[in-house]
Amino acid sequence: AERFLINRLFDVLDNLIFKNQALLGYVLEEVVTEDLLRKTLQGLYKFSPERVDDVLVESFFAPAKTEGAVDALSQIYTNNPGKTPMDLHNEYDDILSNIPIKLVWGDDDAIAPVTGSVGQFYTKLSEGEENVSIDMVPAGHVPFDDNPVQTNEAFLQWLEKLDENSGTKESNVLAGLGKLWP
């Protein structure tokens, strides 16, 4: 029931704001402030909200105030996002099953929680396939910035393990990548 309500809320926002360029322009110009953006970003940084500094806020705020921002934001939220990870795995299973996949997920990610469809998909894959692994770190939606020490540690341990098991796996990875990006 909760997921249904969230989806309906996004449908309403999509139609009321993101498909209504006049209203979206007003929101970007009159409602979105640096302070509001800072508080929103801090809500995504669950482990280290103090990492939301002036440079990060400006990197989001400045583009929202440029010409074309309304069109760009509208398209981001209203266009077809493309294939899901599940679609890609179904379509390219013969390739992706040979490529090591490492996910580092924030344990308090409010945007894409590990309990969501993508998180559950990769959690199940990691339990059944040796080439897929997932680590949870204390973080929100951007673990590489929110908690870089533990995120990098997880990736480095994974890379060391890959290095220990290299050989034929390495050639499988390169062959698989060549099929995806010739």
Side-chain angles (χ1 to χ4, degrees):
E2 182 180 327
R3 176 51 78 196
F4 176 80
L5 290 174
I6 290 171
N7 286 339
R8 296 303 65 85
L9 176 62
F10 279 119
D11 288 343
V12 169
L13 289 174
D14 186 39
N15 285 309
L16 286 179
I17 297 176
F18 296 112
K19 289 183 179 174
N20 182 338
Q21 291 199 347
L23 181 57
L24 182 56
Y26 174 81
V27 168
L28 286 178
E29 204 51 46
E30 302 296 329
V31 177
V32 176
T33 64
E34 288 179 331
D35 187 52
L36 176 64
L37 189 53
R38 180 180 309 280
K39 288 176 184 170
T40 302
L41 289 168
Q42 286 172 336
L44 299 177
Y45 282 63
K46 303 293 187 167
F47 185 74
S48 302
E50 71 278 1
R51 290 185 61 85
V52 176
D53 60 10
D54 292 342
V55 173
L56 182 64
V57 171
E58 186 64 19
S59 74
F60 281 86
F61 187 73
K65 300 299 183 177
T66 62
E67 186 178 334
V70 171
D71 287 335
L73 195 57
S74 177
Q75 287 188 24
I76 288 168
Y77 285 97
T78 61
N79 282 345
N80 181 340
K83 295 179 180 179
T84 67
M86 292 75 83
D87 295 334
L88 293 171
H89 278 272
N90 283 331
E91 190 171 336
Y92 299 106
D93 185 58
D94 57 326
I95 297 168
L96 293 174
S97 62
N98 290 308
I99 297 174
I101 298 171
K102 177 64 174 181
L103 296 111
V104 178
W105 214 287
D107 66 352
D108 199 7
D109 186 339
I111 303 296
V114 76
T115 56
S117 60
V118 174
Q120 288 302 294
F121 174 77
Y122 280 112
T123 298
K124 287 177 187 165
L125 267 185
S126 72
E127 294 166 355
E129 294 189 28
E130 69 177 52
N131 70 312
V132 178
S133 62
I134 185 169
D135 280 338
M136 302 298 293
V137 297
H141 186 60
V142 282
F144 58 87
D145 196 29
D146 191 8
N147 189 345
V149 171
Q150 288 185 26
T151 299
N152 289 334
E153 199 173 282
F155 277 115
L156 289 172
Q157 288 173 0
W158 175 70
L159 289 170
E160 286 174 12
K161 185 177 174 186
L162 279 181
D163 190 44
E164 291 169 6
N165 299 327
S166 67
T168 58
K169 274 190 175 181
E170 209 169 70
S171 60
N172 286 344
V173 170
L174 295 174
L177 289 174
K179 289 178 185 175
L180 284 175
W181 297 283

